[in-house]
Structures are given as C-alpha cells and as structure tokens.
Amino acid sequence: MGILARRTVRVEAMQSLLAAAQAQPGNLAMTLQQLRQHCLPDEDCDALIRAALAGYPDAEFAALAEQALTRLPLYELAMQDVVMSMSTPPRERYDAIHALREQTLGRDVTEALFGQEAAWAEYQFRYGDLMEAADALSAADRIAALNALRDSSFGDYADALQQVEGIDGRYQRELALLLAGIDDASTRAQITRDLRQHYYPADVVAQREQRDRQQQLNDQRVLDYQQAVAALQQDMAAVRETLSDQAWQQQYEQALGQLRAQYFP
C-alpha cells in the first residue's frame, strides 16, 4: 500500500471516530486524543485531522470540531497560569476551570469537548450533598433521590454516563447511601446482602460473601497480632534492665518472629 493509500485509510479511520463522537456527544476532548493516535511521528497531526474534517459528511459537526481543534491549545495555555489552593472546595475549583473553558473556548465548544465530564462532575458533587442529608431520609427516599439525581445530572448524556457508572458504580453508590448513619453490624450486613442480590447473580453474591468472610478473618488476625505484639513489648520492657542490649534484642526478635509465624503462617 502506497503512502497516499495509507493516509486515506487513516483519514477514514478518523472519520469513523468522529461519527462515533457525534452519535454520543459531549466527549470530543477524548475523541481528539484518539484521533491523534492515528498520526505518524513528526507528522502535522492537526493538518491530518483537518483533512478528515474536510471530508466529513456533516459540515456543521465538522465546523464545531474544527473550532475545538483550533481553540483547545488556547485553553491549555491559559490553564498553565491557573493556580488554585487545595483548601478551595472541589466544587469551586471545578467551577473555576469550567468558567475558564467557556471563556477561552466558547460555550458550544466547551459543551462539545467536556459536556459529559461536566455532567459527571455535577453528579458527583450533588451525590456528596445527598450523602450529607441521608440521615434525614428513609431508605426508599434515599434511593428515589439518587435516581432523580442521576436523571437530572446526566441529562442528554444519560446513555454514556450510565455506561461510565456501570453496575458496580451504581451498587457502590447506593450501598454507601443506604449504609450512611447505620451502625448496627447485622443491619449493615442485611442491607449489603439485599442490594447485592438486587444487582448481581447468585454466584457473584456467593463469591463476594466468601470474600467478606475471608476479609473479616484477616482483619481479626491482624488485630490479634497487634495485641500480641503489644503484650510482648510490655513483657520485654519489664525485663529490659536484666539483660544486655544484645541479649534483649535477640530475645525480642526471636519472640516477634514466633508471633509472625503464628499469625501469618
């Protein structure tokens, strides 16, 4: 295959990526990264991407992507001058970055590049607010509020962001929400079991319960070992003055080794 033919293949591959981005909008920033993977070393990658855009059948979407390609370096340059304290709340930091994006990129281009990210960030922040208010809600109201939060936050990107969250993400967030403020161990175990059975098949539930039991055994073993070491240190402190430094250290290390072998064979 000649150079021109290989270039044509790469342009067509880029156009396929653009079609996928148009079908699932709001994540053009990721698409631009994927487009660059089709460029050769030392190649004018922007020129190749523009060639793909020039032949793209939807001129309006191609023009939007062209604007994103042109303006994104301006935003990246502006970000280099941004300094924010880590003491600033995460929501405020994100809002400042989003404002800078709209200022340098324009609202439409910002939405095309980072719409999914912004929707996901809003979901995360509002989920944190919901967790703080969970104690005042019943279990049913907590789940209803979370589902309403997903609907309102995901918006036009519902399909894409539901895939991002996935079953495990849904399970983990709902579990944390249902367990908030619940201290009784048996109640927490029952809530966890019920939610697992709702989301996973029986074999997966059994595997996770087995893993939980093993983790509990491991945690208890570590706790028992730590208590045994503390008792050993107390005993050795009592005989510290009766032994030479070398003898004391040797006896202590021997006893500690025995404990390790006992608890972690």
Side-chain angles (χ1 to χ4, degrees):
M1 184 181 295
I3 295 176
L4 182 59
R6 289 196 295 270
R7 187 177 187 277
T8 300
V9 169
R10 290 187 289 128
V11 166
E12 290 175 349
M14 286 182 169
Q15 290 174 342
S16 295
L17 288 172
L18 290 166
Q22 186 177 9
Q24 201 167 76
N27 198 18
L28 191 56
M30 177 62 71
T31 301
L32 289 178
Q33 293 180 20
Q34 295 171 337
L35 292 175
R36 294 188 182 281
Q37 294 175 8
H38 288 276
C39 297
L40 300 176
D42 301 325
E43 183 176 29
D44 186 344
C45 196
D46 284 3
L48 187 64
I49 294 174
R50 286 189 169 90
L53 291 171
Y56 191 72
D58 190 317
E60 183 176 354
F61 179 77
L64 182 64
E66 170 81 23
Q67 292 175 32
L69 183 65
T70 300
R71 298 178 189 175
L72 194 56
L74 301 177
Y75 160 69
E76 293 171 345
L77 185 63
M79 274 296 295
Q80 295 178 11
D81 296 327
V82 173
V83 178
M84 285 186 284
S85 171
M86 292 305 295
S87 63
T88 304
R91 185 190 290 266
E92 291 184 23
R93 293 202 302 270
Y94 187 83
D95 287 345
I97 292 173
H98 187 73
L100 179 62
R101 286 171 174 172
E102 291 193 340
Q103 177 184 346
T104 55
L105 300 169
R107 182 166 298 179
D108 290 345
V109 173
T110 298
E111 186 71 21
L113 286 166
F114 304 109
Q116 288 187 30
E117 178 197 290
W120 183 259
E122 181 66 14
Y123 173 51
Q124 296 289 79
F125 293 137
R126 293 176 65 189
Y127 175 76
D129 296 338
L130 178 58
M131 284 289 293
E132 292 181 0
D135 285 353
L137 300 174
S138 67
D141 287 343
R142 294 180 190 192
I143 297 302
L146 180 56
N147 288 330
L149 178 58
R150 287 188 178 109
D151 291 341
S152 60
S153 298
F154 289 179
D156 294 336
Y157 309 117
D159 290 343
L161 296 185
Q162 284 170 2
Q163 293 177 25
V164 170
E165 186 172 36
I167 292 177
D168 286 342
R170 290 180 68 90
Y171 165 76
Q172 292 292 347
R173 285 179 181 80
E174 291 181 16
L175 180 62
L177 189 61
L178 290 172
L179 293 180
I182 306 296
D183 297 323
D184 180 70
S186 61
T187 302
R188 292 175 65 87
Q190 186 61 53
I191 290 172
T192 302
R193 186 177 304 110
D194 291 344
L195 194 62
R196 279 179 177 168
Q197 291 173 348
H198 174 73
Y199 273 106
Y200 301 106
D203 60 332
V204 175
V205 172
Q207 291 172 4
R208 295 198 173 195
E209 289 181 347
Q210 175 61 30
R211 186 177 62 190
D212 286 349
R213 288 191 292 269
Q214 185 61 51
Q215 185 62 52
Q216 290 172 357
L217 291 174
N218 292 342
D219 291 344
Q220 186 61 50
R221 179 181 299 170
V222 170
L223 179 60
D224 292 343
Y225 168 73
Q226 291 171 340
Q227 292 174 343
V229 170
L232 171 63
Q233 291 172 341
Q234 186 175 7
D235 292 342
M236 292 301 298
V239 299
R240 185 69 178 84
E241 301 300 326
T242 66
L243 299 170
S244 67
D245 289 347
Q246 182 178 359
W248 185 91
Q249 187 68 31
Q250 183 178 2
Q251 186 173 331
Y252 174 72
E253 290 180 358
Q254 182 179 2
L256 186 61
Q258 292 172 347
L259 287 179
R260 288 172 177 164
Q262 175 184 346
Y263 286 98
F264 307 109

